[in-house]
Amino acid sequence: MTKLALVTGASAGIGHETCALFARKGYRVIALSRQPTGVESADLELALDLESFEQIEGLAGALDTEIAAAERVILVNNSGYGQFGALRDLSEAMWQKQFSTHVFGPIKLAAVCLRLCEQHGIPLRVIAVSSVLSIAPQKMKGAYCAAKSAMNTAHESFWFDEQGSKSLESVSLVLPGPVKTRFREHALAAFQPVLGRATAVHQEKYEAMEAALAPGARIKPFTASASDVARKIVRAAEAGRPKPRYLVTPQTYAAEFITRFIPRSIQRIILR
């Protein structure tokens, strides 16, 4: 029997590197993405749209045999993207897609995996890739911050809900700051429709954001690599006693300190 790693958002960036690292460590890897692109390190690739509960539930048939043959299952809820823009300029569809990707879909997938693991008596660990912005919100990124914050709370609630389960071993969150991936490229694509809805009062801020997301824009100091995040994910997967949270990049450690120990009135001055 081998350990099984299920990784969402596996076609690029953090998900792609996570698949490769699990494979090097001898795991059987199943790569899950909206449009499978040929993840070389994966033993199996499956299409998955996290916006569809029906499709997530339909995945159970394909996963049942895989999970039954596993020694342990690691689910990495990594899929995500940033919907930026002032909150009053976002459409209902933009909000829905952001929360389906980061909250509703991942929790539904965790529930399906837990059900299958319980049926076969297989231990399960769930790891969610969140963000520093889940604990330290920024202007013009409110929907993404809210979705990632909800992702944290939903996964931690899932842990408390399932305390009676004999299969669920742990639920951990990995919180990176800036990471060198195609995140900005995808965020810029999601931001473009907002520009057509923009209120005049935000025009100057939108121009600055568009420039910051553009190809060739300055990389922030202490930006991590996708491999840095993948190593934290695998650490959570293999730890004897996994921690509830794993921080990546100095920005996240700073944000954790600020939000835990500094009064909120001062936080607003520091973080604005």
Side-chain angles (χ1 to χ4, degrees):
M1 297 179 74
T2 59
K3 295 177 183 178
L4 176 66
L6 313 174
V7 183
T8 69
S11 60
I14 294 170
H16 192 274
E17 289 297 318
T18 300
C19 286
L21 186 51
F22 273 126
R24 290 198 296 271
K25 288 183 169 289
Y27 286 71
R28 179 169 173 79
V29 176
I30 298 180
L32 304 169
S33 56
R34 185 187 296 267
Q35 296 178 324
T37 56
V39 179
E40 306 85 355
S41 58
D43 296 286
L44 177 65
E45 277 193 271
L46 297 172
L48 176 64
D49 181 359
L50 287 170
E51 296 179 62
S52 169
F53 270 32
E54 182 179 1
Q55 190 176 134
I56 296 170
E57 189 64 50
L59 200 64
L63 294 180
D64 185 64
T65 303
E66 295 285 346
I67 288 176
E71 173 188 342
R72 169 180 282 121
V73 176
I74 309 297
L75 170 62
V76 182
N77 277 327
N78 164 71
S79 185
Y81 77 100
Q83 177 62 69
F84 296 165
L87 297 182
R88 64 176 173 177
D89 289 334
L90 302 185
S91 68
E92 180 180 356
M94 291 172 182
W95 276 104
Q96 183 68 36
K97 185 177 179 67
Q98 189 77 157
F99 271 74
S100 291
T101 301
H102 295 281
V103 188
F104 309 147
I107 290 298
K108 176 62 176 177
L109 181 57
V112 168
C113 289
L114 180 59
R115 185 181 74 231
L116 294 174
C117 285
E118 287 175 337
Q119 288 174 3
H120 297 291
I122 306 298
L124 169 69
R125 292 187 178 190
V126 178
I127 302 166
V129 181
S130 185
S131 168
V132 61
L133 295 184
S134 68
I135 58 175
Q138 290 183 1
K139 61 185 177 184
M140 299 295 158
K141 299 177 182 178
Y144 179 69
C145 296
K148 284 300 192 183
S149 180
M151 178 188 230
N152 294 356
T153 302
H155 278 82
E156 289 177 339
S157 294
F158 184 76
W159 165 249
F160 287 117
D161 288 349
E162 305 300 339
Q163 284 295 282
S165 172
K166 294 182 179 179
S167 285
L168 187 61
E169 285 190 337
S170 63
V171 176
S172 297
L173 300 168
V174 176
L175 278 67
V179 182
K180 190 175 182 181
T181 64
R182 296 174 62 190
F183 179 87
R184 294 199 300 188
E185 175 186 337
H186 296 309
L188 180 59
F191 182 55
Q192 291 300 324
V194 180
L195 296 176
R197 307 167 53 89
T199 47
V201 69
H202 293 311
Q203 195 59 46
E204 187 175 328
K205 295 175 183 177
Y206 280 179
E207 289 173 0
M209 174 160 285
E210 192 172 18
L213 295 174
R218 183 179 68 90
I219 301 296
K220 293 182 179 179
F222 307 110
T223 292
S225 68
S227 296
D228 293 330
V229 185
R231 283 193 289 271
K232 285 290 178 82
I233 292 170
V234 173
R235 183 182 301 179
E238 299 195 326
R241 297 181 64 183
K243 296 189 294 186
R245 294 192 177 192
Y246 292 82
L247 309 184
V248 190
T249 73
Q251 291 92 328
T252 311
Y253 284 95
E256 178 79 354
F257 177 84
I258 289 169
T259 54
R260 286 184 64 185
F261 298 111
I262 295 180
R264 291 195 176 276
S265 57
I266 306 300
Q267 288 182 35
R268 288 192 170 186
I269 296 172
I270 295 172
L271 299 174
R272 68 183 176 186

